[in-house]
């Protein structure tokens, strides 16, 4: 009778035009680290995103910096680099809502798009 462990890893969010790990993100990332310590076979992919404001090419670079900052934080807590399969920025290509170029949105709606997602690739 194998017990199935459900692992909930929430996205972390970023301030506008920034890629540093803020206190909210650090709290969430500490949960990711805890899960990875508890389950040594887990490997993850980091996918980072921006909102639609700003130039597309700039947002791609910014999201890459977000992915790298996210990866660096996890590695700084002693997780082996081989367990992070990839850390990729997708810019504004994977918005979670309607807030694409030219669409009027609230700050909260834009905030929802500025995130790093974690995909578990191996358990």
């Amino acid at each position: 009778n194998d017990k199935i462990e459900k692992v909930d890893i929430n996205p972390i969010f970023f301030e506008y035009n920034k890629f540093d790990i803020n206190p909210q993100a650090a709290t969430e990332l500490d949960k990711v680290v805890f899960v990875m310590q508890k389950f040594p076979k887990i490997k993850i992919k980091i996918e980072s995103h921006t909102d639609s404001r700003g130039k597309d090419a700039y947002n791609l670079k910014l999201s890459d910096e977000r992915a790298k900052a996210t990866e660096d934080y996890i590695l700084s807590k002693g997780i082996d680099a081989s367990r992070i399969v990839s850390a990729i920025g997708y810019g504004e290509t994977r918005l979670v809502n309607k807030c694409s170029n030219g669409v009027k949105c609230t700050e909260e709606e834009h905030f929802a798009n500025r995130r790093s997602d974690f995909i578990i690739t191996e358990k």
Side-chain angles (χ1 to χ4, degrees):
N1 185 6
D2 287 339
K3 279 199 324 202
I4 294 171
E5 296 276 357
K6 187 170 186 304
V7 181
D8 276 331
I9 301 180
N10 297 316
I12 62 165
F13 296 95
F14 295 88
E15 301 305 320
Y16 178 63
N17 214 16
K18 292 189 176 166
F19 59 88
D20 55 310
I21 303 298
N22 62 32
Q24 175 274 340
T27 301
E28 251 351 284
L29 282 174
D30 288 341
K31 294 178 194 170
V32 175
V33 169
F34 174 78
V35 165
M36 292 183 80
Q37 287 167 338
K38 191 168 180 221
F39 303 102
K41 290 195 174 121
I42 281 182
K43 291 186 179 184
I44 62 168
K45 288 197 298 190
I46 299 165
E47 298 182 347
S48 296
H49 311 275
T50 65
D51 64 32
S52 63
R53 295 175 293 183
K55 298 218 176 321
D56 293 8
Y58 173 80
N59 282 338
L60 211 50
K61 183 177 182 304
L62 179 61
S63 64
D64 258 341
E65 289 168 333
R66 287 177 176 169
K68 189 80 183 92
T70 303
E71 179 180 35
D72 287 347
Y73 184 93
I74 293 171
L75 297 179
S76 78
K77 299 294 183 178
I79 298 297
D80 192 84
S82 66
R83 298 182 60 200
I84 299 178
V85 176
S86 59
I88 297 171
Y90 291 92
E92 58 184 81
T93 63
R94 296 185 179 183
L95 301 173
V96 294
N97 53 32
K98 68 183 191 313
C99 300
S100 57
N101 289 341
V103 175
K104 196 165 171 53
C105 287
T106 65
E107 188 50 44
E108 288 76 25
E109 288 170 316
H110 283 304
F111 182 73
N113 287 313
R114 298 193 302 266
R115 69 201 190 279
S116 282
D117 294 321
F118 303 94
I119 290 83
I120 294 173
T121 61
E122 238 173 89
K123 290 184 183 169

